[in-house]
């Protein structure tokens, strides 16, 4: 029964997390955003003390249930391992193996040092929730969007606009490669060894494993009832059960409850160790039922507390081919309003790509720069940052992008526009344009005579840097190709105007 409860909760959890990353409208986050907020590392990076303490207490009481019920990467490993067992038709594929303690501690220490030093790319690479988010965003999302576009195609012809077309494109080739390699490595490890990644590499698993050694409830072997068949160890995907010594490595046990189902003599019960050693055979069965009730109550409490907390056109008029824009070389990267500064984003962002997935204007994409690899940056070749859109700050679970109101966003200066005379069509084609001034959302661009002594000379843009907020509308809508005649240069620290 405990195993069925755990599997049900795990399936619901991974479906909700996956839905968050597949939803490109941002509407699902209003209902399911709490599942991202209770992920351990994002909560820790956001300094969300309440959630962190809750997860630590959950581990102290029930063991590493976080890894088997809440963490999407852990649940993903269980799914792959289950498929492997079905494919190989081998129910008992595992066995006890000693813990790789030095490897686990070494990775955890490096992870903590990288987090303190602000080396976001290393933190993002190992963060389990973020790794799963990148897999969904880069590998699963394109398939989902293709399916959406098929539905949109037929819906339009039926006179319905319930679906709308979205472009399918790779936002960052390096990050796509990272996501693909992560998927392959974790899938191979899970296919062959179950929870190998979770119990040998994952820093969150190592930290929670150290705490779970002192958990109140845990699977315990009753030596009086054990017949030394070894089935529990052969079915343990965490390789944590030593049948010869009747011991369980609680730093690696993820409380999946598989061993309780495998033991045909009822020698393993989910209870406190002291009570189990004192219990008789009849008492052990009673305690097993009591443990089931405690587990159900704890799981319900965890979910309850969490709920409370919370076709792009390529032609102009059908005649002239529009050449794709090339991105400018910015001296300072652009990060969204709410990020406060480049340093703040790099220190708190886990590179999960949730903000990228909900950016409807396709402004955000993962950075390819080694200093901020996989963290979001803004580019305006496909759209610009609309002042009324605050989705990225609303969904960020790590506090890297703080929530801002629509009013406040209009006064946050993330960068300023720069005019490049040699790219402007006034210079290249000797014609007036004024597109940048017409579409400037804050009136920071005005058209002035190119020759101050001749008021009838062709007009060129003049930029008031004190009013510009760096939304990128001018850069995006500039007709110059392949480089815009006006682009936005980022600010190290955001300003309020």
């Amino acid at each position: 029964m405990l195993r069925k409860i755990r599997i049900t909760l795990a399936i619901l959890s991974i479906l909700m997390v996956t839905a968050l990353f597949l939803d490109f409208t941002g509407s699902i986050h209003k209902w399911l955003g709490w599942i991202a907020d209770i992920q351990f590392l994002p909560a820790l990076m956001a300094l969300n003390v309440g959630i962190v303490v809750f997860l630590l207490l959950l581990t102290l009481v029930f063991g590493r249930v976080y890894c088997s019920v809440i963490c999407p990467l852990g649940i993903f490993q269980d799914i792959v391992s289950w498929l492997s067992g079905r494919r190989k038709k081998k129910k008992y594929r595992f066995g006890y193996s000693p813990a790789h303690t030095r490897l686990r501690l070494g990775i955890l220490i490096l992870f903590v040092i990288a987090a303190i030093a602000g080396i976001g790319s290393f933190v993002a690479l190992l963060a389990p929730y973020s790794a799963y988010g990148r897999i969904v965003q880069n590998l699963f999302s394109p398939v989902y969007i293709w399916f959406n576009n098929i539905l949109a195609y037929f819906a339009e012809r039926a006179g319905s606009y319930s679906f709308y077309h979205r472009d399918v494109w790779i936002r960052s080739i390096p990050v796509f490669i990272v996501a693909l390699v992560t998927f392959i490595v974790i899938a191979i490890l899970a296919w062959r060894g179950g929870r190998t990644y979770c119990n040998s590499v994952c820093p969150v698993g190592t930290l929670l494993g150290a705490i779970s050694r002192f958990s109140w409830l845990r699977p315990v072997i009753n030596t009086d009832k054990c017949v030394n068949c070894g089935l529990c160890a052969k079915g343990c995907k965490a390789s944590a059960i030593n049948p010869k010594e009747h011991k369980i490595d609680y730093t690696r046990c993820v409380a999946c409850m598989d061993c309780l189902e495998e033991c045909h003599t009822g020698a393993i019960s989910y209870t406190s160790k002291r009570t189990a050693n004192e219990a008789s055979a009849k008492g052990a069965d009673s305690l097993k039922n009591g443990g089931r009730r405690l587990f159900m109550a704890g799981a319900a409490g965890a979910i309850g507390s969490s709920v409370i907390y919370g076709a792009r056109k390529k032609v102009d008029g059908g005649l002239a081919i529009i050449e794709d824009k090339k991105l400018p070389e910015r001296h300072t990267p652009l990060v969204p309003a709410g990020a406060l500064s480049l340093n703040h984003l790099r220190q708190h962002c886990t590179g999960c790509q949730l903000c990228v997935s909900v950016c409807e204007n396709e402004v955000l994409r993962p950075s390819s720069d080694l200093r901020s690899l996989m963290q979001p940056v803004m580019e305006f070749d496909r759209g610009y940052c609309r002042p009324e859109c605050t989705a990225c700050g609303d969904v960020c679970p790590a506090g890297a992008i703080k929530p801002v109101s629509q009013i406040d966003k209009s006064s946050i200066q993330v960068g300023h526009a720069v005019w490049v005379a040699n790219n402007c069509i006034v210079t290249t084609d000797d014609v007036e344009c004024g597109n940048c001034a017409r579409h400037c959302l804050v009136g920071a661009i005005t058209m002035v005579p190119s020759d101050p002594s001749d008021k009838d000379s062709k007009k060129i843009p003049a930029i008031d840097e004190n009013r510009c907020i760096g939304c990128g509308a001018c850069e995006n809508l500039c007709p110059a190709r392949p480089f815009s005649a006006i682009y936005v240069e980022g600010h190290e620290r955001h300003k309020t105007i």
Side-chain angles (χ1 to χ4, degrees), residues 313-325 479-482:
K313 295 183 178 181
K314 296 297 181 183
V315 295
D316 182 10
L319 300 175
I321 296 176
I322 300 178
E323 184 180 2
D324 288 336
K325 281 192 175 184
R481 295 295 191 277

Side-chain angles (χ1 to χ4, degrees), residues 76-122:
F76 173 72
Q77 292 175 74
D78 287 346
I79 294 174
V80 173
S81 179
W82 177 78
L83 291 173
S84 174
R86 299 275 295 183
R87 176 67 176 81
K88 296 179 179 180
K89 297 182 180 180
K90 291 182 180 180
K91 185 177 181 180
Y92 303 108
R93 300 177 292 115
F94 308 109
Y96 174 75
S97 63
H100 302 290
T101 306
R102 292 183 179 179
L103 174 63
R104 298 168 70 190
L105 289 178
I107 293 176
L108 178 60
I109 292 172
L110 289 175
F111 184 84
V112 172
I113 293 174
I116 295 174
I119 308 175
S121 56
F122 185 78

Side-chain angles (χ1 to χ4, degrees), residues 89-313:
K89 297 182 180 180
K90 291 182 180 180
K91 185 177 181 180
Y92 303 108
R93 300 177 292 115
F94 308 109
Y96 174 75
S97 63
H100 302 290
T101 306
R102 292 183 179 179
L103 174 63
R104 298 168 70 190
L105 289 178
I107 293 176
L108 178 60
I109 292 172
L110 289 175
F111 184 84
V112 172
I113 293 174
I116 295 174
I119 308 175
S121 56
F122 185 78
V123 173
L125 186 64
L126 295 181
Y129 163 76
S130 300
Y132 182 77
R134 287 191 298 274
I135 290 173
V136 175
Q137 172 61 32
N138 289 275
L139 306 182
F140 300 166
S141 182
V143 178
Y144 175 80
I145 295 177
W146 276 326
F147 181 71
N148 169 83
N149 291 344
I150 293 174
L151 292 179
Y153 175 83
F154 288 106
E156 286 181 12
R157 278 146 186 78
S160 172
Y161 295 92
S162 301
F163 302 91
Y164 58 91
H165 184 274
R166 292 279 292 185
D167 288 340
V168 180
W169 57 291
I170 298 177
R171 290 171 169 81
S172 171
I173 293 178
V175 176
F176 176 84
I177 294 174
V178 169
L180 181 60
V181 171
T182 301
F183 174 81
I184 294 173
V185 169
I186 292 178
I188 291 176
L189 291 176
W191 186 273
R192 300 183 62 181
R195 286 272 184 157
T196 302
Y197 180 87
C198 187
N199 285 332
S200 298
V201 179
C202 179
V204 175
T206 301
L207 177 61
L208 295 182
I211 297 173
S212 67
R213 293 177 58 189
F214 309 101
S215 63
W216 177 43
L217 295 176
R218 57 180 71 181
V220 179
I221 301 175
N222 187 328
T223 55
D224 294 333
K225 300 179 69 175
C226 180
V227 295
N228 299 315
C229 65
L231 293 181
C232 56
K234 294 178 181 178
C236 178
K237 52 181 171 283
S239 301
I241 302 178
N242 187 341
K244 294 182 180 180
E245 299 182 8
H246 301 95
K247 292 183 178 180
I248 299 175
D249 184 355
Y250 295 110
T251 67
R252 290 184 289 165
C253 174
V254 295
C256 68
M257 311 302 172
D258 287 355
C259 55
L260 274 68
E261 297 289 331
E262 297 297 342
C263 185
H264 59 277
T265 63
I268 303 180
S269 58
Y270 184 65
T271 183
S272 64
K273 184 176 182 180
R274 178 181 177 183
T275 307
N277 289 338
E278 295 175 351
S280 61
K282 180 178 179 180
D285 290 337
S286 175
L287 288 167
K288 181 176 180 179
N289 294 330
R292 179 183 297 120
R293 289 191 293 270
L294 283 170
F295 181 84
M296 293 175 64
I303 298 299
S305 300
S306 303
V307 170
I308 293 174
Y309 175 78
R312 186 176 176 86
K313 295 183 178 181

